[in-house]
Amino acid sequence: MPIAHPETEHEENVIEVHDVSFSYDASEVLQNINLTIHRGDYLGLVGGNGSGKTTLIKIILGLLKPSSGTVRLLGTNIGSFKDWSKIGYVPQKATSFDSNFPATVQEVVLMGRYGRRGLFHRITQQDREKAQQALRYVEMEEYTDRLIGDLSGGQQQRVFIARALATEPEIMFLDEPTVGVEKNIKDDFYILLKKLNEQLHLTVVLVTHDIESMAHEAMHIACIDQTIFFHDSVDMYFKESHKLIHPHP
Amino acid sequence: MLDIFQYGFVLRGLEAGMIVALIAPLIGIFLVLRRYSLIADTLAHVSLAGVALGLLLNISPILSALGVTIVSSLGIERLRTTKRIYGESALALFLSGSLAVATILLSLGHGFNTNLFNYLFGSIVTVTQTDVYTIAILALIVVAVLTAFYKELVYITFDEESAQVGGIPTRRINTLLIVLAALTISLSIPIIGILLIAALIVIPVIAALQLRKSFAQTILYAEGISLFSVLAGIFTSFYLDLSTGGTIVLIMLAIFLLIMAYKNWD
């Protein structure tokens, strides 16, 4: 499981986004984004449809190149970042993947070990144990040999978390993980994320439009609509929220 | 009844057929799951231009097909990734363009004869001993590369974005896959023919997918279906004097339909 750094928590900057802008064709998606996330944080990145929240995550992960500005991940410029095994990622489309794909839960979770192993290296018994351990953590161990497509949306989501955990990451990114998942399963899911943050000392970045469900779990909230117009603790969010209804007067 | 094994060409056909039967689904599973099935068909048509070139220059049609198909596969992948035209438009361009080149080359060499017919529809009679060696070496290369990059290919096929965040060089692996597809198609030409290669790559995989097994098991089932179809097709076509390629493909289709019927029974 991931290595804890309790002594350095909340001091070290693990993600630094500096003056990032992004345009797609002629339209500006992100404007002068500045965002710093500390080790051990649990940040909810909140925004509506088309607010640019998914784009920002993709830029932080190096999947998209910003039009201007810089991103540093774990102290390294994203262009030369190589430590991908320290990053766990649960993508948005995880819930909308091909349900006919012939892969068992174990095969999916093992993918989390692939990048760590590197080219030309085979999966070992240790990798299988790490995958099993991750499945146990998300309480999906009994589904090891089931096909991923046969599980419910909430169960699939847990498997994708297990895949990210199997990487043994320091930072976990989740993009809209609860879209299309029922309310009570959603609540369990947020409890699991809190566990990842508190027990495993993972830095968690959760992208969502669903502020109500996650607000009581996260430590910080950043609201985004082309630019970040609020970034502070959850308590401050609720004190200020009456002012945030019309962010662009 | 004729004794099939007294004919050297049948033995060579069986050897080449078994090799092709084992390789095709290994590539097919990645192409089908990535919705690339039509790339197989396009590259097959491209390989016709390569065969025509080989016939014209009097060099091995398999090797000339190999060269032309690999170069074209890189072109297709490049057009697809730069996104300047739609993915399927790139395929249409290469498919029709290479057919045009093939007909011109064939007319130059007055090559519209039975030899060409064999390359189009496959025949175990066309398989020479040199072909068997060429096919075996190419097949070994395909298997070695697939084994080396198996886990990366599986991850990219399932979820390309996560694979990239996982540190896997997705672009290079994508290029590798399409080059391997080009290799597999070129080596399959003598047995199954240019017009039916796509079937050999795609149908056993589609049939095996209906069984809903794990990734590793799906590959094994596809291999079984493919091997059985090719062997049964070669024997049947020999005794009934039918086209080898056509017989193989019809047997695979029959297996696919049987699996579908069985799966929908309960």
Side-chain angles (χ1 to χ4, degrees), chain A residues 38-228:
Chain A
H38 301 109
R39 187 177 290 283
D41 266 6
Y42 179 171
L43 176 81
L45 184 61
V46 186
N49 275 336
S51 60
K53 57 188 191 299
T54 295
T55 306
L56 178 58
I57 285 303
K58 288 190 173 173
I59 288 174
I60 293 175
L61 291 170
L63 294 168
L64 290 172
K65 276 203 169 65
S67 317
S68 63
T70 54
V71 173
R72 288 170 78 81
L73 202 52
L74 293 166
T76 309
N77 210 307
I78 190 69
S80 42
F81 186 78
K82 293 273 183 290
D83 250 345
W84 291 110
S85 63
K86 291 182 176 163
I87 308 298
Y89 177 48
V90 181
Q92 191 169 22
K93 61 170 189 232
T95 40
S96 61
F97 71 101
D98 172 15
S99 62
N100 288 317
F101 197 96
T104 60
V105 166
Q106 189 190 35
E107 283 175 320
V108 171
V109 177
L110 272 174
M111 292 174 193
R113 303 293 300 173
Y114 288 178
R116 203 183 174 86
R117 270 291 151 226
L119 294 175
F120 306 113
H121 291 276
R122 300 191 69 117
I123 285 300
T124 61
Q125 189 55 37
Q126 190 205 355
D127 293 317
R128 282 175 216 288
E129 278 160 21
K130 291 284 181 193
Q132 213 54 35
Q133 212 177 319
L135 275 173
R136 206 175 306 137
Y137 196 83
V138 300
E139 293 165 25
M140 288 295 293
E141 207 184 5
E142 58 193 294
Y143 296 92
T144 305
D145 294 321
R146 292 274 296 275
L147 281 189
I148 182 79
D150 289 347
L151 303 183
S152 72
Q155 291 171 326
Q156 287 171 354
Q157 206 50 264
R158 280 174 180 266
V159 173
F160 288 112
I161 298 226
R163 181 178 71 182
L165 278 180
T167 316
E168 300 180 274
E170 293 176 13
I171 313 174
M172 182 84 116
F173 291 89
L174 303 102
D175 191 358
E176 295 272 14
T178 57
V179 168
V181 174
E182 289 166 46
K183 170 85 176 71
N184 56 331
I185 294 170
K186 231 182 237 183
D187 293 343
D188 288 348
F189 190 79
Y190 286 120
I191 292 168
L192 172 64
L193 290 188
K194 203 179 176 86
K195 248 173 72 181
L196 298 181
N197 178 240
E198 288 177 355
Q199 293 183 354
L200 303 180
H201 304 284
L202 284 180
T203 309
V204 175
V205 180
L206 170 68
V207 176
T208 183
H209 67 277
D210 181 18
I211 193 158
E212 302 308 323
S213 326
M214 57 78 65
H216 301 285
E217 310 294 340
M219 282 180 214
H220 292 98
I221 287 185
C223 300
I224 184 168
D225 188 10
Q226 276 194 28
T227 187
I228 287 180

Side-chain angles (χ1 to χ4, degrees), chain B residues 104-121:
Chain B
I104 296 286
L105 289 176
L106 287 168
S107 62
L108 280 176
H110 308 289
F112 288 104
N113 52 29
T114 40
N115 204 1
L116 174 68
F117 191 83
N118 287 336
Y119 283 111
L120 283 178
F121 297 103

